[in-house]
Amino acid sequence: MRRLRGAFGIWGAGKLRTAPGRVASAARRRCAGVGGRATWPGAAFFLLAQAGKSPYATAMNQTTFPIYLACLPGLEAVIAQEAHELGLPAPIIVPGGVETTGTWPDIWRANLWLRCASRVLVRLGQFRALHLAQLDKRARKFPWADFLRPDIPVRVDVTCTRSRIYHQKAAAQRIQTAITETLGASITLDADLRLMVRIDDDMVTVSLDTSGEGLHKRGHKLATGKAPLRETMAAAFLNQMGFDGTQPVIDPMCGSGTFILEAAERAAGLPPGRTRTFAFENLSSFEASAWAQMRQHSPQTPPAQFFGFDRDQGVIQNARENAQRAGLEDCTAFTCQPISALSRPDTPPGLIMVNPPYGGRIGNPARLFGLYATLGQVLRENFAGWRLGLVTSERKLAHATGLNLQPGPPIPHGGLKVQLFQSGPL
């Protein structure tokens, strides 16, 4: 955590480039914290506003913040590559996520376009506090108004580790009181806007969850089946298989259509967050007009080469409805049929992505060996040149396909550890 704190908690004077001339020098002095280092970027705007230089949104939206892209353990490398492709600078892999930096518009863009990350967190600032009285005093000086609005409720989560302030509830009360008395915002346990305060080694780091609901909630997949695969996991597994939007994709046990919809969405160039809202829309730095412009996109029309199959007519209907809400009905097809009826489509070889039942989902994995064996046989006979990506928690079940499969890292899912087993061309 010391390295995380150094990367995410302290801003140096170089981050205050938006403040010209004397204002910049004054901002650096005003921001000076431990060792003369700036402890919050909002102070630069505070002095700019006093000097009559720039409107709030312009100044704050040009300020660079440390960003943390949270993900499921085991998917960090996938998130780092995705962040790089999105143009976020120098992504660094850390346990459970990726560190990078960006402005508020970068944070909006990350929420809108990242397919595999769970949440986008931003570090707002940091200060040292050795006891509760000092925490109270310095929390009252923190520039809450630079980020929060007085009319939007906020939730405050506090953790204390290795610090002289060890009582989390008392620390939370001091920070909540500072926010309500200096800003006027109400504190509620069910607020959509969540502040995360970590007191580690006497250093108080204030972060904000800019996503709100987890990013796996795309906003258009409303109907789900039993033990659904999260959209962020499906997108990450597609990335691990080398999917770039051009290959056909089949899911012979598609359920509500997660793999197929994620593949088709990427092929169409559609941002995954296009039909949902985000917590950052309730911040004082938010610019509705700039966000509306950012959300505009020019979707492509991919070939109709994304096929989902399932023996349950109900889940097939759900998948079709999900595709329609997502605007993907023209390039996807969902058919009710068993694995034994699976046949090769009239397309070039592509990917077969499947999340079959496994032990934790039905209770007895021994009952599934026949299902996996049938899957392997059908693929060997009909899908030469295609590659398989199979998600399961049971290595023995993967081996029951009779295919040469290489396991990926274990990923937590529904209280289990699942792995993506990949084949080469069949």
Side-chain angles (χ1 to χ4, degrees):
M1 291 306 298
R2 290 178 183 271
R3 182 164 62 85
L4 282 173
R5 187 182 69 223
F8 278 67
I10 302 292
W11 286 266
K15 297 297 184 184
L16 303 178
R17 298 189 186 95
T18 53
R22 294 180 181 177
V23 177
S25 298
R28 294 185 184 103
R29 291 193 299 271
R30 180 67 176 266
C31 293
V34 180
R37 292 173 291 183
T39 55
W40 40 277
F45 165 72
F46 177 80
L47 292 175
L48 282 169
Q50 286 186 329
K53 296 294 182 181
S54 303
Y56 173 83
T58 300
M60 282 303 295
N61 288 344
Q62 292 176 356
T63 302
T64 299
F65 294 88
I67 300 170
Y68 182 75
L69 308 176
C71 68
L72 292 171
L75 297 180
E76 293 90 346
V78 176
I79 308 303
Q81 179 61 33
E82 191 178 26
H84 174 74
E85 293 173 356
L86 194 61
L88 295 172
I92 300 172
I93 294 175
V94 296
V98 170
E99 297 174 355
T100 183
T101 59
T103 61
W104 280 117
D106 293 326
I107 293 165
W108 307 343
R109 189 162 51 93
N111 277 285
L112 178 64
W113 279 101
L114 288 176
R115 302 184 187 278
C116 308
S118 301
R119 295 181 181 277
V120 179
L121 312 179
V122 57
R123 306 301 198 211
L124 302 181
Q126 189 177 63
F127 56 86
R128 188 175 295 278
L130 305 182
H131 46 77
L132 288 173
Q134 193 172 53
L135 175 66
D136 180 78
K137 180 179 180 180
R138 293 187 174 179
R140 291 174 181 275
K141 293 182 178 179
F142 196 86
W144 303 110
D146 287 357
F147 312 107
L148 308 179
R149 288 168 41 181
D151 59 322
I152 299 295
V154 64
R155 166 185 162 192
V156 179
D157 294 338
V158 177
T159 59
C160 303
T161 57
R162 303 181 299 173
S163 297
R164 277 167 273 197
I165 298 176
Y166 59 87
H167 197 299
Q168 294 180 174
K169 185 175 181 180
Q173 288 175 341
R174 298 303 195 280
I175 294 169
Q176 291 167 359
T177 301
I179 293 172
T180 56
E181 293 187 357
T182 63
L183 179 67
S186 61
I187 306 295
T188 62
L189 295 177
D190 59 348
D192 294 332
L193 202 57
R194 181 169 64 112
L195 276 173
M196 295 161 291
V197 180
R198 181 175 180 83
I199 306 176
D200 182 27
D201 196 17
D202 300 328
M203 190 66 72
V204 182
T205 302
V206 182
S207 301
L208 179 71
D209 179 358
T210 68
S211 301
E213 287 191 306
L215 294 182
H216 69 282
K217 295 187 177 181
R218 305 300 202 211
H220 43 260
K221 184 185 165 195
L222 303 182
T224 60
K226 295 180 180 179
L229 193 69
R230 285 193 171 191
E231 287 77 359
T232 47
M233 290 183 66
F237 289 149
L238 283 163
N239 282 8
Q240 289 180 332
M241 291 289 294
F243 180 72
D244 60 10
T246 64
Q247 306 98 318
V249 177
I250 290 176
D251 186 346
M253 294 180 238
C254 69
S256 54
T258 305
F259 272 129
I260 299 305
L261 297 180
E262 288 298 312
E265 182 179 80
R266 180 168 179 183
L270 293 169
R274 65 191 179 278
T275 61
R276 57 162 285 173
T277 59
F278 299 94
F280 64 73
E281 297 178 50
N282 292 318
L283 298 177
S284 60
S285 58
F286 179 64
E287 294 182 13
S289 59
W291 172 236
Q293 185 176 4
M294 184 180 293
R295 292 182 66 183
Q296 295 178 3
H297 53 271
S298 300
Q300 305 168 10
T301 304
Q305 58 182 14
F306 304 99
F307 309 97
F309 303 92
D310 201 286
R311 66 180 182 179
D312 187 326
Q313 183 63 55
V315 300
I316 287 295
Q317 184 59 36
N318 288 343
R320 290 172 181 162
E321 293 173 1
N322 289 335
Q324 186 174 17
R325 277 188 292 268
L328 299 169
E329 65 271 27
D330 291 339
C331 61
T332 59
F334 295 95
T335 304
C336 182
Q337 70 177 35
I339 292 174
S340 58
L342 187 66
S343 60
R344 182 180 186 134
D346 186 19
T347 67
L351 304 177
I352 302 158
M353 303 296 298
V354 60
N355 177 37
Y358 34 83
R361 294 163 65 184
I362 69 165
N364 183 7
R367 298 165 50 192
L368 296 173
F369 282 99
L371 175 68
Y372 280 70
T374 299
L375 175 64
Q377 181 181 354
V378 170
L379 297 185
R380 281 193 304 272
E381 293 176 352
N382 301 317
F383 287 86
W386 288 66
R387 292 188 297 120
L388 172 66
L390 182 148
V391 180
T392 184
S393 64
E394 305 288 340
R395 185 180 293 263
K396 291 182 179 180
L397 288 175
H399 290 163
T401 62
L403 303 174
N404 183 15
L405 301 176
Q406 300 300 317
I411 310 295
H413 174 55
L416 301 172
K417 293 282 189 178
V418 301
Q419 293 174 279
L420 174 67
F421 290 82
Q422 298 189 44
S423 78
L426 299 175

